[in-house]
Amino acid sequence: MSGLLNGQNVIVMGIANERSIGWGIAKSLHAQGARLIFTYRKDRSYEKLAKLLAESGIDPLLTVQCDVSDDASIEAAFGRIGAEAGVVHGVVHSLAFADKDELGGEYVDTSREGYLLAQESSAFSLVAVAKAVKPLMTEGGSIVTQTYLGAERVMRNYNVMGVAKAALEASVRYLAEDLGKYGIRVNAVSAGPIRTLAAKGVSGFNDILNAVEEKAPLRRNVDQSEVGDATMFLISGLSRGVTGEVLHVDAGFHIIA
Ligand code: NDP
């Protein structure tokens, strides 16, 4: 099979089930011939992932557990990836976490614990992953994370996660500067709302979907395959001149006042 990513080893982090954005991305990467390495946190996610892979005929290079809130887990996972895959060309960071209680009501009521948990899992995790993968990206590489408009603007109920995504987007820029000299690019995709397990935690999610359908230039929502293809573009050499960028894949919603 000939594809844009033939012979490239790409890690996908953050698939919980068939609705996960990470799964849409994995399918787009696979279609372009990437050799895929998967990381998961919960055993339940592993079971779902194994089933999805079997059903879709995707044969992974490696599947390894990695809890991004735990340094030892990151070290063990990337140690195994290095030992078994050698070189890594791409990483997709498609994960975030916040306590459901913090994703509704007023941001002013955010707890210290809830703030730190969201920042740690959703923003610092990109920094930790970039550090761990850097020694494996000996041929240059591309790191892509997933963010949301709530980083740039106040989106009701997104609260602590919006602030974590703002830190994530700033991290994309600082990491792009640090890693650019090694030929490693760092970018983000800012997806429109998509019904996933993580999205269920955000109060009033249906209203957000309806607002996009009504106001976005394309008058519709986006799906996992569209985010998958855009992420694939940022992983591939087609985007070789792009780094430190946030690419909106949201049917144009972000340009509307
Ligand atoms: P999912 O719930 O499908 O995926 C979230 C993933 O994050 C899960 O696989 C989960 O693993 C993983 N995760 C959470 N905490 C950790 C951790 N400490 N260590 C390792 N993995 C962890 O939701 P989405 O696909 O929607 O989310 C993927 C990304 O896309 C997130 O960054 C999200 O903010 C972003 N995004 C989502 C949008 C949407 O509307 N859905 C819009 C814009 C951006 P496990 O279940 O095994 O713990």
Side-chain angles (χ1 to χ4, degrees), residues 152-211:
E152 302 167 59
R153 297 198 213 153
V154 174
M155 311 290 289
R156 193 158 299 142
N157 295 322
Y158 202 59
N159 298 356
V160 75
M161 189 56 86
V163 176
K165 292 296 192 193
L168 180 72
E169 293 184 12
S171 291
V172 163
R173 293 186 281 272
Y174 278 90
L175 291 170
E177 160 57 11
D178 286 350
L179 302 182
K181 52 185 167 297
Y182 307 108
I184 301 170
R185 300 182 293 111
V186 187
N187 292 290
V189 167
S190 184
I194 298 178
R195 205 185 295 280
T196 63
L197 205 58
K200 270 194 190 161
V202 182
S203 308
F205 191 73
N206 279 343
D207 297 339
I208 302 174
L209 288 172
N210 291 339

Side-chain angles (χ1 to χ4, degrees), residues 98-195:
D99 197 324
K100 196 177 179 311
D101 294 346
E102 306 280 3
L103 299 173
E106 296 190 351
Y107 176 64
V108 71
D109 292 326
T110 302
S111 70
R112 186 183 300 269
E113 212 178 31
Y115 183 95
L116 293 174
L117 177 64
Q119 283 284 338
E120 215 240 335
S121 325
S122 316
F124 178 73
S125 61
L126 181 71
V127 186
V129 164
K131 188 170 185 179
V133 81
K134 182 181 156 218
L136 304 178
M137 287 189 156
T138 50
E139 297 174 5
S142 172
I143 300 171
V144 183
T145 187
Q146 301 297 315
T147 186
Y148 181 57
L149 188 59
E152 302 167 59
R153 297 198 213 153
V154 174
M155 311 290 289
R156 193 158 299 142
N157 295 322
Y158 202 59
N159 298 356
V160 75
M161 189 56 86
V163 176
K165 292 296 192 193
L168 180 72
E169 293 184 12
S171 291
V172 163
R173 293 186 281 272
Y174 278 90
L175 291 170
E177 160 57 11
D178 286 350
L179 302 182
K181 52 185 167 297
Y182 307 108
I184 301 170
R185 300 182 293 111
V186 187
N187 292 290
V189 167
S190 184
I194 298 178
R195 205 185 295 280

Side-chain angles (χ1 to χ4, degrees), residues 1 5 8 10-39 49 52-53 56-60 63 91-94 146 224-232 235:
M1 186 173 65
L5 298 171
Q8 308 251 310
V10 183
I11 306 171
V12 181
M13 311 181 73
I15 298 174
N17 58 35
E18 73 286 354
R19 287 176 180 257
S20 293
I21 289 175
W23 180 238
I25 296 168
K27 287 191 283 187
S28 294
L29 296 171
H30 174 72
Q32 294 301 327
R35 287 192 295 239
L36 296 176
I37 297 162
F38 294 95
T39 77
L49 174 63
L52 287 173
L53 291 172
S56 55
I58 298 177
D59 189 15
T63 303
V91 180
V92 175
H93 173 281
S94 182
Q146 301 297 315
Q224 289 86 337
S225 77
E226 292 168 314
V227 180
D229 284 350
T231 302
M232 184 280 292
I235 289 287

